[in-house]
Each structure stands twice: as C-alpha cells, then as structure tokens.
Amino acid sequence: HVRVAARIEIGGVRFWSADRHEGKSTFRQSAPGGKSGHAGRAPSATFGPMLGSHEPGIILDRDGTLVDLVRDEESGTISAAFHPSHLRFLPGVPEGLRALRDAGFRLCIATNQPGPAKGQYSIDAVTRTNQAPVTELSAPGISIAAFEVCVHHPTGGPGGDPKLVGPCACRKPQPGMLEQAMRRASLDPS
C-alpha cells in the first residue's frame, strides 16, 4: 500500500490524496475547509486505475470543469461553448491537468453536447470545438487519452436532428460515455 500526498486544483475544484493499493489509485474531491466530500454538489469527475500498467486515470467533464461557459451579455444567456473561439480554460486548469499527468494519471474528457439534437448547432461544430482544447493542451505535452461526446437529448428542439432525440445510454448521468472512455483509454472500471 502506497499513499501519495497530493493536492491538485482544477477549475477551482480541489482534489487530494492519491491512494495506491493493490494496483488501484484514487483521488478524492476536497470540500471547502479541507474536508473530504463533494462540497454539496455532484462530482464532475470519475476515477479509475489503469489496466495492466496499474496507472490511474481520470474522466473530467468539459463545461464548467475545464472550460468556462459562454456568457452573452446582449441576450443574457449562458451556454456551452459551440465554437473553438469560445473556449477559455478555467483558472488553474492547464496547471492542474499537468499535475495530474505528472502524478501518473491518464486524462479523459466526457461531455454532454445536446446542441445538434436541439437544433442549436451542428455535430461538425461540436467536433471542431472539442478538438481545440485537445490541440491546445498537446502543446505543453498534456495528452487526452479519450474524449467522449453525447450529442443526444431526450426531447430535442426545433430544427434538431430527429435521429439524436430520445433516450440513450451515453448521456450523463447514464454510464455509456464513461464506459467508452474507460475502454478507449484502457482504464479498469473497478
């Protein structure tokens, strides 16, 4: 059993205490005041050890965890980024991801992006937008092992692609995207 003391902050959320026991590693989210927990909200990350290499992995959400939301002062709306120019990493994100990488974590992203099902923007726009942070992070050597996206929505919207409307197994909180990211990045789901 090895205990690695670490504190990492990503987008204002602190993670601490990587435990390693029998090939399994974990990071816990820290609540204000240093207490273990989830600070009164659902966690935005999922963790698991690596198959074979016994290195840990982490699956993070994109919007509000890694990148800021888009705020339109004219209309008063807040939305997810749907163009590469909209992407702004939250303070501390590149540094936090680098610290996770340096601690041996394989980095993955899983994000709900229902805009195509709602008729707000195209799947191509989602693809371009998601490629931008992967490219930007690769410059300082931060690799994203898997980037999973759900473009479905239960009810859709005007002009949305009807093939993307309805229930699916990938839209969080369903486990489909997380399971796919674990397979693609060779993470052990236990």
Side-chain angles (χ1 to χ4, degrees), residues 67-119:
V67 299
D68 202 358
L69 298 172
V70 176
R71 290 161 177 82
D72 185 335
E73 291 185 28
E74 300 273 329
S75 66
T77 60
I78 298 174
S79 67
F82 57 90
H83 188 275
S85 67
H86 295 156
L87 291 172
R88 304 281 181 274
F89 286 115
L90 289 166
V93 165
E95 297 84 1
L97 293 176
R98 189 175 301 112
L100 285 167
R101 178 206 61 198
D102 292 348
F105 282 80
R106 185 166 281 194
L107 306 172
C108 304
I109 300 171
T111 181
N112 290 337
Q113 296 298 320
K118 292 179 166 185

